[in-house]
Amino acid sequence: MSTLFSGFSSRRTARLLAGALLLQALPGLAADPVVSHLAAVPRAGTKLVDITYDLAADTATVAVSLQISGDGGATFAVPAVSVTGAVGPAVGAGTGKSLTWNAGADWNGQVSSQVRVKLVVDDGVAAAGLVAIPPGLFLMGDSLDGYANAPIHQVAVRAIYLAKTEVTKAEWDLVRGWAVGRGYTNLRAGAGKSRDHPIQSIEWYQCLLYCNARSEQEGLMPVYYMDESQTEVYRSGNLGLSNAQVKWNANGYRLPTEAEWEKAARGGLNGKRFPWGDTISHSQANYYSNSSFAYDVSPTRGYHPSSAVGGEPPTLPVGSFAANGYGLYDMAGNVFEWCWDHYGSYAGAAVDPLGPDSGANRVIRGSSCRAQANGCRNADRYQNGGGLRSDNLGFRVIRSSVPSTTATSSDLSVDTRDPAAWTLFSAAEAGLAVGDVGLVSLSPLDKLAVVGGGEARDGAALKLMAADGAASFAER
């Protein structure tokens, strides 16, 4: 199974390889925010790191996210989930901004003298309609209901920017109108019940053409190419492109991978059946309700009561229900969504998996207005050939990066190991006779303490301690 990143050789390294790949700020946009006076200091006696900075920006608020490196900046893959303070989607400019990283919660039992913190600041101008999904680990798959095609495994996904909603008919028409006459010769009109309903009845490869056309329309770097040298932009034809024909770090639009889609759908919740919890009703999603599943608790059955307005198909306007924890709408129900990957079995723990290199079918996720409750599960997987067209199948777009500003601290030392406890031994328990000098191995840090018996009396208790590699003892 292909991945964006490779080369990890141990469990620990695998846990640390979930960093974001963000490109440099693009020219021609509004002035980027400026971060200055960034400082990070571990708080004495705790596992917290206090971070301060000054922020200047043209816009009223900016999005601020935190990334952590444990290897001097080689990778920024240490989880940074437990963060409070001046961070998030709407941070105002000013001096003396502060936030706190709970390293003990995200990175417990670790130590490094090469920790660096990076602030990533986006002004939001280039990311309209997108939501920043933070990098990190999540548990992909589901064991709740006995399904065999989505076993639970640990996956690390880099930072991404995913569309809040499925692509609408209005968005499709706008891009298609621009693309016609500019080399995009077979971008279909598609279908949609209304302008604010999702586009549907478009094949997998049509989604790729739309992504490239929208990228070029907005002056971004296209993602999909006709050749593995990635020189000829994909603008026409019914092609099943390979991983090698994708410029993964381009700042243009693309389809999400299956792993990116599921991480986003979960909204920061692990182990839940749906984006919001373990039960489902028509107040949360547009799907076909019945009594076949105990977790379908909707008081109304059949198609969603509101979906009859406007006739077939039974879709609803995008964003008709509450967003998940990441601010994404309709990750369950309304229309199925194309993903990039060829369909195949999971290959176990992975970093940014791209799916198999080949296969007959592509992955479809997200359920639809005609699917039952079990199909709305975060981990539910569908597949079909890329040439499928259906009135309950659409997509949403993703970007690997948007114009941003970054600022990185110098190295600092962070130690989230638990201090060794004092342990009581007697001379006899330590295996020492009066006057002996010996070595005793202590846990949990497995340090060695030198125990001197020169002044010890037979049977006297010795107090031993190991911390940070140093050892001491006291006679009692």
Side-chain angles (χ1 to χ4, degrees), residues 12 47 103-104 106-111 415-418 445:
R12 177 169 294 180
K47 299 180 183 182
D106 292 346
W107 203 46
N108 200 39
Q110 308 295 322
V111 61
D415 188 347
T416 60
R417 299 172 299 179
D418 294 322
L445 301 182

Side-chain angles (χ1 to χ4, degrees), residues 41 100 123 137 153 155 165 204 211 247-248 271 280 307 374 384 387 406:
V41 180
T100 298
D123 60 17
L137 299 168
H153 58 296
V155 174
T165 69
W204 175 86
C211 288
K247 196 183 293 290
W248 289 103
I280 188 171
S307 66
N374 63 323
N384 219 305
T406 63

